[in-house]
């Protein structure tokens, strides 16, 4: 099994430029195909550290997207997906 470590460059301001006081963290979604990300892919809670380690991946192409989650549990729309080629160590 392979793994991927992703670092998120987060924007901690809302659309009006105000700080996101109610940001709980981020959720990182992953799947072998972009159309599977939000449907059947996996996800991990990242928190506000903006780093996520995804383990147990098979070698090959993987797609990742992130959402923001507020303290009430509301989740943003997903980011654009990023394609990563995961290789064996």
């Amino acid at each position: 099994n392979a793994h991927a470590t992703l670092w998120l460059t987060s924007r901690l301001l809302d659309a009006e430029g105000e700080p996101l006081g109610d940001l709980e963290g981020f959720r990182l979604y992953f799947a072998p195909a972009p159309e599977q990300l939000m449907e059947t892919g996996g996800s991990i809670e990242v928190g506000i550290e903006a780093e996520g380690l995804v383990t147990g991946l098979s070698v090959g192409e993987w797609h990742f997207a992130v959402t923001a989650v507020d303290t009430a549990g509301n989740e943003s729309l997903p980011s654009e997906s990023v394609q990563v080629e995961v290789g064996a160590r």
Side-chain angles (χ1 to χ4, degrees):
N1 284 340
H3 71 271
T5 303
L6 287 93
W7 289 269
L8 312 173
T9 303
S10 59
R11 180 183 165 151
L12 300 177
L13 302 174
D14 65 17
E16 286 79 39
E18 298 296 320
L20 293 173
D22 63 347
L23 178 66
E24 180 74 19
F26 300 97
R27 187 169 292 138
L28 179 64
Y29 289 88
F30 54 96
E35 63 274 4
Q36 297 172 332
L37 277 169
M38 306 306 288
E39 303 298 324
T40 60
S43 69
I44 61 169
E45 302 296 323
V46 178
I48 59 172
E49 293 81 27
E51 179 179 335
L53 174 64
V54 181
T55 60
L57 301 176
S58 58
V59 172
E61 183 179 292
W62 284 85
H63 297 264
F64 297 86
V66 65
T67 61
V69 181
D70 68 14
T71 54
N74 299 307
E75 189 171 8
S76 72
L77 294 173
S79 67
E80 291 187 31
S81 66
V82 174
Q83 178 184 329
V84 176
E85 189 68 31
V86 176
R89 288 192 136 204

